[in-house]
Amino acid sequence: MGSRDIGIWPRVFVCVVFLTLGVAFAAPTVVLAHEFWESGWFSLAAMDSHLFVFFPTLGVVALVAFYIPSAALADLYWRHIPLGRLRFTVGFLLLCGLSFAIATSLLASPKRSIWEIAPSILTSDKGVGPTCPGSEVCERLPVLTALQGLREVSQSRWGLTDFIRSCDRDVFLEPAAAPERKRFCFASTRLTSSPQLQGDTECCRAQHLLSNAISDNYAHIDRRSLTAKAHAATLPMKVFFLLVLLTISILLVLRHRAIEANYQASNQRIEFSVIVGTAAALFFPLMSQAFVESVEALYGLTGRGTFSLITPILSLAFGIWTLLMVFFFYRRRDKDLEAIGKLGSAVAAALAVLKYGVVVAIFTRLLGSGATYASIGALVVVCIAAIVSLFWLPRRWAVTQQKADPAAR
């Protein structure tokens, strides 16, 4: 993937870092599949698709796409920027430290995920209630049974917002006078052809018991899964990856003239790579929102952890990041194309805001808790095609340009 105008050592450095990140992306998913193979591993992966699906697929695409831009920036600081080596080293270390601090904060959340509990504990869970093992309605269903119910409903509906209950009553407001709307409760009711519906009081209690059952088991170190340990070990690297994307976007905008002047042979490839990488990375906030929707439907609003609470901020940050990438791509185009591009971006952004709930519902159905082997398989095919295009299209463009301009040979 290298380019002649980018030094060998910056390319080797970025390659080693990105290969390390790639291994960190795939490892938790591999461990999850191995550990929970007979305990619904795919259901667990679909529920937390922003971790177990995004990173081994679209995350890898983003790594491949941003390799050349990252290598160009590393080479620029190493050879052409005053005190560049010192600034590059300090910046790299700061990103590492910040990544570790953010990951530590996320791991300290009292709300835990189902896959963080050992399979033997989950399979032996009988729920809460004297007749729960055979009853349609329990005080709390077995954890895996509740998850399976969520999965089946997610695969038959577009979105789960109708099942989200607010279990926190505002002491300053009187409850609405209208009769309470009963709904299906994933935490307490088995899914049947004619399931029993419940009011908020019963369901909120069941959701609270379900969330606490997971957190209480996680509090015992011997009950934690191997997947939880793999996740904790690799989370700093995933956070580092997201911070690197933000840093690269800022530097591409600030240093675009220096990049154009020093890496003319790679300019076209850098721009194409940025487009593909940005498109791949934008799936992360959407898959994260799909995860939050599933969490709220299963546990209620009180079941949200630290990551669920910061997801809206994360989505905003990705929106700003996308604008930076759009600016980088259109900065060298003619004025008419630039105006059209920016107008199209603004329209797309407006539609995304107005119909954001619809977009999240689609992601919940296809790439979230409602995902199937077919939808994930289609995603893998798209990712392979994207990686192939990153290698093939720039080379084809180079050959076409040489034929059109023999003096460039």
Side-chain angles (χ1 to χ4, degrees):
M1 293 181 62
S3 176
R4 294 178 182 177
D5 55 348
I6 299 176
I8 182 66
W9 290 114
R11 285 191 281 120
V12 170
F13 173 78
V14 173
C15 183
V16 170
V17 172
F18 278 20
L19 281 175
T20 303
L21 292 177
V23 173
F25 288 178
T29 304
V30 173
V31 174
L32 175 75
H34 171 74
E35 186 175 22
F36 290 90
W37 188 258
E38 298 180 354
S39 305
W41 77 273
F42 190 79
S43 296
L44 294 169
M47 175 76 176
D48 287 54
S49 62
H50 65 298
L51 291 176
F52 298 112
V53 176
F54 170 81
F55 282 102
T57 55
L58 294 158
V60 171
V61 172
L63 284 177
V64 176
F66 279 99
Y67 170 75
I68 286 294
S70 300
L73 285 170
D75 186 80
L76 181 70
Y77 273 83
W78 211 250
R79 295 197 297 173
H80 303 291
I81 301 295
L83 298 176
R85 298 187 179 188
L86 176 62
R87 294 160 73 176
F88 180 87
T89 302
V90 172
F92 180 80
L93 294 177
L94 284 176
L95 286 180
C96 291
L98 184 58
S99 301
F100 182 79
I102 294 175
T104 301
S105 176
L106 292 174
L107 292 171
S109 173
K111 302 298 182 180
R112 312 310 308 183
S113 296
I114 297 174
W115 47 265
E116 293 184 278
I117 310 304
S120 59
I121 302 298
L122 293 176
T123 54
S124 62
D125 177 38
K126 303 301 182 184
V128 175
T131 61
C132 188
S135 175
E136 178 183 347
V137 180
C138 303
E139 293 181 41
R140 173 188 65 82
L141 280 179
V143 175
L144 292 180
T145 303
L147 174 62
Q148 188 58 34
L150 179 75
R151 284 271 293 148
E152 292 183 26
V153 173
S154 297
Q155 292 173 346
S156 63
R157 300 173 63 93
W158 293 96
L160 298 169
T161 54
D162 289 339
F163 301 98
I164 299 175
R165 308 170 191 248
S166 179
C167 297
D168 292 330
R169 301 295 185 186
D170 192 333
V171 297
F172 297 102
L173 297 176
E174 183 180 3
E180 184 181 40
R181 181 188 182 190
K182 292 187 176 182
R183 290 170 281 181
F184 179 75
C185 182
F186 297 105
S188 64
T189 310
R190 297 180 191 275
L191 188 61
T192 63
S193 57
S194 299
Q196 182 173 328
L197 307 183
Q198 285 189 323
D200 289 348
T201 301
E202 297 87 354
C203 187
C204 286
R205 182 174 184 275
Q207 290 175 336
H208 181 72
L209 290 173
L210 183 66
S211 179
N212 282 352
I214 298 171
S215 298
D216 292 344
N217 278 309
Y218 184 81
H220 297 82
I221 298 179
D222 60 329
R223 298 183 185 179
R224 297 180 187 177
S225 66
L226 182 61
T227 306
K229 298 175 183 177
H231 169 68
T234 57
L235 183 59
M237 286 178 261
K238 294 176 179 177
V239 176
F240 176 79
F241 162 73
L242 298 176
L243 293 178
V244 164
L245 291 187
L246 178 61
T247 303
I248 289 174
S249 66
I250 295 173
L251 292 179
L252 285 175
V253 173
L254 295 178
R255 301 291 185 183
H256 67 271
R257 295 187 184 277
I259 292 174
E260 288 178 355
N262 292 286
Y263 309 104
Q264 294 181 6
S266 298
N267 279 335
Q268 191 174 35
R269 188 169 190 175
I270 288 174
E271 289 192 346
F272 178 68
S273 298
V274 166
I275 296 171
V276 175
T278 301
L282 279 177
F283 276 67
F284 180 73
L286 293 171
M287 293 172 79
S288 297
Q289 290 283 12
F291 161 75
V292 171
E293 183 172 289
S294 298
V295 166
E296 292 176 349
L298 185 61
Y299 305 112
L301 298 183
T302 56
R304 294 177 296 180
T306 302
F307 180 78
S308 299
L309 295 174
I310 67 172
T311 295
I313 300 175
L314 186 66
S315 299
L316 176 62
F318 266 87
I320 296 173
W321 176 73
T322 304
L323 291 177
L324 287 172
M325 292 293 92
V326 170
F327 174 80
F328 170 77
F329 178 67
Y330 288 111
R331 59 185 163 73
R332 296 196 306 120
R333 306 304 182 194
D334 60 74
K335 295 299 182 180
D336 292 337
L337 183 57
E338 180 180 0
I340 293 173
K342 290 183 177 179
L343 177 61
S345 301
V347 171
L351 289 175
V353 171
L354 293 175
K355 298 295 184 181
Y356 194 71
V358 175
V359 175
V360 173
I362 293 173
F363 271 77
T364 302
R365 171 74 178 272
L366 299 178
L367 297 175
S369 57
T372 63
Y373 285 104
S375 62
I376 299 302
L379 176 65
V380 172
V381 171
V382 170
C383 291
I384 293 174
I387 292 175
V388 171
S389 71
L390 288 167
F391 286 91
W392 179 66
L393 284 180
R395 293 180 180 179
R396 182 176 181 181
W397 292 337
V399 171
T400 303
Q401 186 175 8
Q402 286 181 355
K403 291 181 179 180
D405 184 13
R409 298 182 182 180

